[in-house]
């Protein structure tokens, strides 16, 4: 049985005081939650302070990105996965569509980041998803297969156990336009099938596949009631602790 996983991706939002306040409020709200795992991903410079305020709670700390490089070296402006681990991070989001689109991250870079994160002892949330034109052209499964193939290249069965996949159709991110539960389920089933072919059915059954793209308290239950949807990667609706808690306390 896969434990649901709900992740708040704060993107480039919040000043430190607000980040801390939101985390502390969320900690209080979530203190009795056992039905799902929870993580929040603040910006790099807030990780340590927010992480300290979450210590001993049931909320994991996540980062939004990491360097392709594992060795500490002359890479101005980069943050190594091992440094994230060192300040208490448990998960790292890799390959988010905003990174692919605005920062020209390629599948090859994403694969290096996935490996750097895993070899540093972090768990990975690998994002995949098609654009609207790719969907309209009927390429959605080819695109996601390519992102999975390259993103997970060279990973062992043990490595995959530490990876969650987040399916985020680009057209649904921050647009208020959610994939229907059936559209999302169709892709999640495809992703699990792909993992079964490449890494074995038992591994595929254990990997958590999250849906992301305009998830809100009002639509989360419909999505999570689908067989292959194991959680949510939430952007906008995770910025307010009470709204995010509304997602965490979904009912099926
Ligand atoms: P959204 O973002 O919930 O604001 O659509 C999701 C994401 O990009 O992870």
């Amino acid at each position: 049985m896969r434990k649901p996983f709900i992740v708040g991706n704060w993107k480039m939002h919040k000043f430190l005081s607000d980040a801390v306040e939101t985390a502390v409020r969320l900690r209080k709200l979530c203190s009795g939650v056992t039905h799902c795992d929870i993580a929040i991903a603040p910006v790099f410079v807030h990780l340590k302070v927010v992480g300290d305020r979450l210590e001993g709670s049931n909320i994991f700390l996540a980062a939004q990105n990491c360097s392709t490089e594992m060795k500490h070296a002359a890479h101005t402006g980069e943050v190594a996965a091992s440094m994230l681990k060192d300040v208490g991070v448990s998960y790292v989001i890799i390959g988010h569509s905003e990174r692919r689109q605005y920062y020209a991250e390629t599948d090859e870079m994403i694969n290096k980041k996935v490996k750097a994160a895993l070899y540093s002892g972090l768990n990975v949330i690998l994002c995949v998803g098609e654009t609207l034109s790719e969907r309209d052209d009927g390429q959605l499964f080819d695109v996601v297969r390519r992102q999975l193939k390259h993103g997970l290249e060279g990973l062992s069965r043990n490595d995959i156990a530490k990876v969650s996949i987040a399916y985020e159709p680009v057209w649904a991110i921050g647009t208020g336009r959610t994939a229907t539960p059936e559209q999302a389920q169709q892709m999640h089933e495809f992703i699990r099938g792909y993992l079964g072919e490449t890494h074995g059915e038992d591994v595929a059954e254990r990997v958590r596949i999250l849906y992301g793209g305009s998830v809100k308290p009002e639509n989360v239950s419909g999505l999570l009631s689908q067989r292959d949807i194991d959680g949510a990667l939430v952007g906008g609706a995770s910025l307010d602790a009470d709204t995010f808690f509304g997602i965490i306390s979904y009912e099926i």
Side-chain angles (χ1 to χ4, degrees), residues 63-132:
Q64 300 173 17
N65 186 22
C66 70
S67 173
T68 53
E69 303 308 307
M70 286 215 270
K71 259 184 79 186
H72 296 186
H75 289 283
T76 304
E78 289 293 287
V79 179
S82 58
M83 295 167 183
L84 297 173
K85 175 80 181 165
D86 185 47
V87 297
V89 170
S90 302
Y91 289 86
V92 57
I93 299 168
I94 295 179
H96 191 280
S97 64
E98 288 151 14
R99 304 246 15 122
R100 294 178 190 261
Q101 247 184 307
Y102 310 145
Y103 295 93
E105 286 196 9
T106 62
D107 284 322
E108 193 193 354
M109 287 163 71
I110 289 163
N111 181 245
K112 283 182 86 174
K113 291 182 181 206
V114 168
K115 287 178 174 156
L118 291 174
Y119 301 156
S120 303
L122 294 175
N123 298 290
V124 167
I125 300 165
L126 172 67
C127 300
V128 298
E130 80 288 356
T131 62
L132 188 56

Side-chain angles (χ1 to χ4, degrees), residues 9 11 96 168 172-174 213-215 233-236:
N9 174 12
K11 308 193 179 184
H96 191 280
E168 299 203 304
I173 296 178
S214 299
V215 176
L233 180 54
V234 186

Side-chain angles (χ1 to χ4, degrees), residues 27 30-31 50-61 88:
R27 173 182 189 146
C30 294
S31 63
V50 168
D52 285 349
R53 302 302 286 265
L54 294 177
E55 211 176 313
S57 77
N58 55 350
I59 303 174
F60 291 104
L61 191 63

Side-chain angles (χ1 to χ4, degrees), residues 136-156:
D136 288 346
D137 289 349
Q139 293 170 17
L140 64 166
F141 297 108
D142 291 342
V143 168
V144 170
R145 185 190 291 111
R146 190 203 70 223
Q147 291 171 339
L148 289 170
K149 178 175 184 292
H150 295 298
L152 301 174
E153 204 152 328
L155 265 54
S156 68

